[in-house]
Amino acid sequence: MTSDESRFHRDPDELVEELQGLPAGWTVGRPDPDDPGDVRRLTELLREHERAGRGWPGAGKHDVLVEVQGLRTRENVVVRDETGLIRAWGSVHDRASGRMLFIHVVERGIDARLGRACSDLLVEWAVGQARQVGSARGLRVQQIDTGAFDDDERQHEWLAAAGFTRVRRWWQMDRPVTPDEASLVDDPARWERDGVVVRLVDREADGHPVEADLHAVHEVLEAAFTDHFNAKPETFDEFLFRLREDPGHRWDHWWLAEVDGQPAGALVGTESGSGSYVAYIGVVELARGRGVAKGLLRTVIADAAARGRDHVGLEVDADSPTGADRLYRGLGWTTSYVTESWHRDVAVP
């Protein structure tokens, strides 16, 4: 599949039968990523959503653009009132085989009846997209995976009414970084201790990463997450394309850990405002207990300190029996807020 191809249906009118419960003049359509007004309004809605759900906003223009500019892996819908103002926004992401992510944002402060009607419309559209992408992938069932803040009762009520089930909780953790922590490891680019080597992925002369190292990162993460909650297989091309869409993506934030010369762990980080973020960290089963994960985490902390950043964030499965949070807490991470995963399985005709 080329970067111009998509498994999604482009016309929302064909997925939404009628605008039930909405006033005359309200419409459904796609947002225009080239329209500054649309991007500004979506950013405003997303920030309002975050403020209501967790107490403060964090999203910016780039977080919106990564959703609305996706060529093959994302599709969007908006609900506009009679003046053309966007009152609700949905985005779907063809994340991996059998798993479709769904962003569900309805204006805060909107009349409760209108808000529920907007929510129902977004879900109807997402279900149609799930059938579309599931059929394109040859699946019998397509999962819709959406999220909510732990304290967002409005979102919980609407998702439950729409057939979603709350299945998991996640701790969103953060750790302050001080300048002296640049010395936590000898050199974030490469260091070795007790038979474990941690290094950045190698680069070609033109600055692009060596493909063999990228494959090694992908293979390590696929193996490390095989037994994790809701793990879905993802091809190398899908993995690479998705991570490069992240506005904070940087090739010099990808690390490999090797034990006896073999890839044993990997960490993919991103730049996030004034800090760094651990998008993925994984260790293959045979290398666990060797200090690989701790070494990777110390590396990303040292790297952040060397860059003058002031924190490192990550996400932890709050319901996992592995107790991974003990490692993070032991290294200084604390929970900033809690999110939830809500799932709905859609039968594919």
Side-chain angles (χ1 to χ4, degrees), residues 269-309:
T270 64
E271 180 180 353
S272 178
S274 63
S276 296
Y277 185 79
V278 179
Y280 284 97
I281 180 171
V283 179
V284 299
E285 187 174 2
L286 291 177
R288 292 171 188 169
R290 296 285 300 270
V292 174
K294 184 177 290 186
L296 287 165
L297 291 167
R298 287 179 177 272
T299 302
V300 75
I301 295 167
D303 178 78
R307 295 175 187 272
R309 297 178 185 165

Side-chain angles (χ1 to χ4, degrees), residues 37-189:
D38 274 10
V39 174
R40 184 168 53 251
R41 177 58 176 164
L42 294 180
T43 305
E44 180 181 86
L45 288 174
L46 186 55
R47 289 175 64 83
E48 286 179 356
H49 178 77
E50 292 175 331
R51 184 181 289 107
R54 69 179 180 193
W56 75 93
K61 172 182 175 181
H62 292 297
D63 299 288
V64 169
L65 288 176
V66 75
E67 296 296 330
V68 300
Q69 288 184 332
L71 293 177
R72 75 178 188 186
T73 62
R74 289 175 166 86
E75 189 55 73
N76 290 257
V77 68
V78 292
V79 181
R80 298 180 191 267
D81 66 17
E82 69 279 2
T83 71
L85 181 66
I86 297 174
R87 309 296 290 270
W89 169 36
S91 177
V92 286
H93 179 190
D94 185 12
R95 170 67 174 73
S97 182
R99 183 183 180 202
M100 186 189 82
L101 303 186
F102 173 40
I103 293 176
H104 171 282
V105 179
V106 178
E107 179 184 305
R108 297 289 165 162
I110 194 173
D111 173 82
R113 181 184 59 81
L114 287 177
R116 173 63 184 275
C118 286
S119 174
D120 289 346
L121 185 149
L122 295 180
V123 171
E124 181 183 354
W125 172 82
V127 168
Q129 294 289 14
R131 293 188 178 117
Q132 183 79 13
V133 74
S135 176
R137 282 185 175 271
L139 304 175
R140 299 182 66 180
V141 176
Q142 174 69 53
Q143 178 195 93
I144 305 178
D145 180 351
T146 192
F149 293 108
D150 191 47
D151 294 326
D152 193 343
E153 294 183 3
R154 187 187 81 164
Q155 198 84 340
H156 301 167
E157 178 185 345
W158 287 352
L159 290 174
F164 287 83
T165 301
R166 178 169 26 205
V167 295
R168 213 69 168 183
R169 296 169 70 248
W170 307 89
W171 287 316
Q172 307 300 324
M173 306 187 81
D174 204 55
R175 181 197 190 280
V177 171
T178 56
D180 62 291
E181 290 182 308
S183 62
L184 276 177
V185 299
D186 295 335
D187 183 348

Side-chain angles (χ1 to χ4, degrees), residues 241-319:
F241 184 88
R242 177 173 56 80
L243 292 183
R244 290 179 68 179
E245 284 189 316
D246 189 310
H249 170 264
R250 305 288 184 271
W251 287 125
D252 58 357
H253 287 52
W254 289 51
W255 284 272
L256 267 173
E258 297 169 329
V259 174
D260 299 326
Q262 297 299 314
L267 187 152
V268 176
T270 64
E271 180 180 353
S272 178
S274 63
S276 296
Y277 185 79
V278 179
Y280 284 97
I281 180 171
V283 179
V284 299
E285 187 174 2
L286 291 177
R288 292 171 188 169
R290 296 285 300 270
V292 174
K294 184 177 290 186
L296 287 165
L297 291 167
R298 287 179 177 272
T299 302
V300 75
I301 295 167
D303 178 78
R307 295 175 187 272
R309 297 178 185 165
D310 59 15
H311 69 279
V312 177
L314 51 78
E315 178 183 80
V316 185
D317 183 349
D319 299 320

Side-chain angles (χ1 to χ4, degrees), residues 201-214 240 244 249 251-252:
V201 298
D202 286 335
R203 311 281 282 279
E204 304 282 5
D206 61 3
H208 286 87
V210 172
E211 187 164 339
D213 273 3
L214 297 183
L240 202 61
R244 290 179 68 179
H249 170 264
W251 287 125
D252 58 357

